[in-house]
Amino acid sequence: MDLIDQNEAQDLIAGRHGDPFSVLGQHVVAGRPTVRVFAPGADAIDALDAKTGRKVMSLDPVPGADGVFVGRAARRKTRFACKLRVTRGDDVRVVDDPYAFGPVL
C-alpha cells in the first residue's frame, strides 16, 4: 500500500495542492498513525513522541518527490503527540509538526 498518492506529492511540491492539511501531518491510514512531511532540503526526518522524546518512526523519502517524507508507526494504533527531528547535513533540529495545528487562516 502506498502511503501517499504520487499525484498529490507532485502537487505539494509544485504548490498547487488545494488542501495540504488533508495529506500532510499525522493521519491514521490502515489502522496505523502515518506521518507525511514536506521538508525541501532535508536529508532525514524522524517522528518523535512529544511526551517522551523517543523515536517512534523514521520517515522515508518519497521517490520522485523531492522533499516529501512519509512513515507509518509499527506499534501504535492511535494518533500521538508528535515532534519532528529534521536533519540537514550537520544541522539537526527538533520542531513541532506545522500540520498538527490545523488551518488557522
Side-chain angles (χ1 to χ4, degrees):
M1 172 193 304
D2 288 333
L3 297 179
I4 188 167
D5 178 80
Q6 286 295 324
N7 291 327
E8 285 189 308
Q10 294 303 319
D11 287 347
L12 289 167
I13 293 167
R16 64 177 175 252
H17 196 287
D19 184 10
F21 282 89
S22 69
V23 178
L24 297 174
Q26 187 176 168
H27 300 272
V28 175
V29 177
R32 299 280 183 210
T34 301
V35 177
R36 299 182 194 109
V37 175
F38 180 50
D43 297 319
I45 300 179
D46 295 320
L48 310 176
D49 184 307
K51 294 179 184 175
T52 66
R54 292 184 179 166
K55 182 170 88 170
V56 175
M57 68 184 108
S58 292
L59 280 61
D60 297 318
V62 175
D66 188 40
V68 180
F69 293 78
V70 63
R72 181 183 296 159
R75 295 189 176 119
R76 297 187 184 219
K77 294 184 180 181
T78 59
R79 292 174 49 99
F80 60 98
C82 176
K83 289 195 176 269
L84 303 172
R85 181 170 49 217
V86 181
T87 302
R88 286 184 174 99
D90 292 335
D91 184 37
V92 179
R93 297 179 188 219
V94 175
V95 299
D96 290 317
D97 177 4
Y99 288 89
F101 301 102
V104 293
L105 297 176

